[in-house]
Amino acid sequence: MDDIKKEIVEAIKQYSTIIIHRHLNPDPDALGSQIGLLHVIKHSYPSKVVHAVGEEVGRLQFIGRMDVIPDDVYRDALVVVCDTANLSRISDSRYKMGKRLIKIDHHPDQESFGDLSWVDPSFSSASEMLVDLCLGFPDDLKLNKEAARAFYTGIIGDTGNFQKGKISPGTLEIASILRSYNFQPERIHNFLNIKTKHSSHLQRDIMMSYKRTDKGVAYFVMTEEMLSKYDIDRTEASNLINTLSGLKGVRIWVFFIEYPEEIRVRIRSRNTPIDSVARMFNGGGHPFASGANIPTWEAVDQVIHALNQVCP
């Protein structure tokens, strides 16, 4: 693994243009790892051209903004994809137009890609991986306040404020190092945990009208009409996923959220691996936190049936 890390660092040093991607529908770790790496490279090598690309999420723009670049920027560029397990989930399909491709991810390695691939599920997040890389090569990759802030946001997002996921002593040590950069971490916690009046009302109605199977799969359907009724965007709505997590007897909880061209599925569980089901429906992720996509509402029953099958 150290050889791969060294090769990644050497590639970053070699290329004058670097373009950083991450997965579709980004969460704090996807954006935190992407923006954090951008700031590290810009700080370490001011003469390099570095871009972060992909769609933006309004409530997460505090982490960093995306660049809009023409295709020709990819010519002779190094492309780095953070926090993305499979090719189909990479935001902005132009990743394939670069000269060289690197994958850095902490999800289980179900689809290998890239000229260089560093995948390690023992880390809490892709953000933690990149801090580890910086600490391992301090003369080549230098942290600064902006990078520390982005990486910390990613770690907080994927560990649920250090309450879930793979949290090791190393995770806490890295968080402590990042906090030493004095970027007001309490503001990040506030940004990620804030709920509007509208989302509170929706959360109440989720508790009143969710459905549950005999196997312990709880689920809730959010239509376009419902989102309009509550005047809430899809990102804020999807962040309510753990509303159903504390219910007695519930082993798996699921949100189905309507988008213009598909229905996105957010799946969480307490101890039951669900990533295999997500992969059945054009998705993937962690054993206990995954996402998927279905084309129509008719497929909802298929997802629920598959989740019932994996319940013990």
Side-chain angles (χ1 to χ4, degrees), residues 15-35:
Y15 283 81
S16 58
T17 299
I18 300 170
I19 305 170
I20 308 170
H21 291 241
R22 38 72 187 165
H23 62 71
L24 292 161
N25 313 318
D27 56 11
D29 184 38
L31 289 166
S33 57
Q34 180 187 34
I35 296 297

Side-chain angles (χ1 to χ4, degrees), residues 76-309:
D76 296 325
L78 174 67
V79 176
V80 182
V81 179
C82 299
D83 194 42
T84 310
N86 22 358
L87 290 169
S88 62
R89 295 204 69 213
I90 300 175
S91 181
D92 196 328
S93 61
R94 294 180 298 171
Y95 68 87
K96 62 189 75 170
M97 296 172 62
K99 185 79 170 180
R100 197 176 189 189
L101 180 64
I102 295 176
K103 174 184 181 181
I104 299 175
D105 187 33
H106 70 120
H107 298 92
D109 197 13
Q110 285 133 11
E111 182 180 3
S112 296
F113 65 83
D115 302 296
L116 292 173
S117 178
W118 176 29
V119 176
D120 192 338
S122 69
F123 285 92
S124 71
S125 54
S127 295
E128 183 186 345
M129 290 178 71
L130 286 165
V131 179
D132 178 80
L133 187 67
C134 293
L135 296 177
F137 298 86
D139 294 333
D140 301 305
L141 299 176
K142 299 177 174 63
L143 286 165
N144 63 0
K145 179 179 177 179
E146 290 76 16
R149 179 177 182 272
F151 288 142
Y152 185 81
T153 304
I155 294 171
I156 287 296
D158 259 23
T159 62
N161 295 332
F162 304 110
Q163 295 178 33
K164 63 181 180 67
K166 293 190 174 180
I167 306 166
S168 68
T171 305
L172 300 176
E173 182 180 358
I174 280 176
S176 178
I177 291 170
L178 294 176
R179 287 177 68 110
S180 71
Y181 283 84
N182 194 30
F183 51 81
Q184 295 182 302
E186 65 279 358
R187 297 188 65 186
I188 293 171
H189 290 268
N190 290 337
F191 273 125
L192 295 180
N193 296 323
I194 192 169
K195 287 187 176 67
T196 66
K197 177 178 70 174
H198 301 295
S199 66
S200 297
H201 290 167
L202 175 56
Q203 191 170 35
R204 177 198 63 199
D205 283 4
I206 290 169
M207 292 298 294
M208 293 177 61
S209 43
Y210 74 92
K211 296 180 180 179
R212 176 179 163 180
T213 72
D214 292 340
K215 289 282 193 176
V217 178
Y219 60 100
F220 187 78
V221 170
M222 294 185 186
T223 63
E224 179 75 44
E225 181 181 3
M226 180 180 295
L227 294 169
S228 297
K229 171 187 172 182
Y230 289 97
D231 189 23
I232 189 172
D233 65 43
R234 293 176 176 86
T235 302
E236 189 175 359
S238 68
N239 285 332
L240 299 175
I241 179 66
N242 286 321
T243 299
L244 302 175
S245 64
L247 298 173
K248 184 177 180 181
V250 169
R251 298 176 179 182
I252 297 172
W253 50 101
V254 191
F255 275 5
F256 296 91
I257 305 173
E258 185 175 16
Y259 278 71
E261 296 181 356
E262 63 187 358
I263 295 148
R264 295 180 186 168
V265 189
R266 298 199 74 188
I267 314 170
R268 301 290 184 269
S269 78
R270 189 163 293 108
N271 296 304
T272 304
I274 41 79
D275 51 320
S276 61
V277 174
R279 291 195 299 276
M280 292 169 57
F281 296 94
N282 303 309
H286 302 284
F288 308 127
S290 291
N293 301 284
I294 55 177
T296 65
W297 290 116
E298 285 70 27
V300 168
D301 289 343
Q302 298 173 31
V303 175
I304 297 302
H305 175 75
L307 291 170
N308 277 331
Q309 297 306 302

Side-chain angles (χ1 to χ4, degrees), residues 49-70:
V49 176
V50 191
H51 294 293
V53 299
E55 83 277 24
E56 293 196 321
V57 176
R59 68 179 295 273
L60 296 178
Q61 286 181 358
F62 75 92
I63 302 173
R65 303 298 300 271
M66 298 295 103
D67 298 314
V68 178
I69 59 174

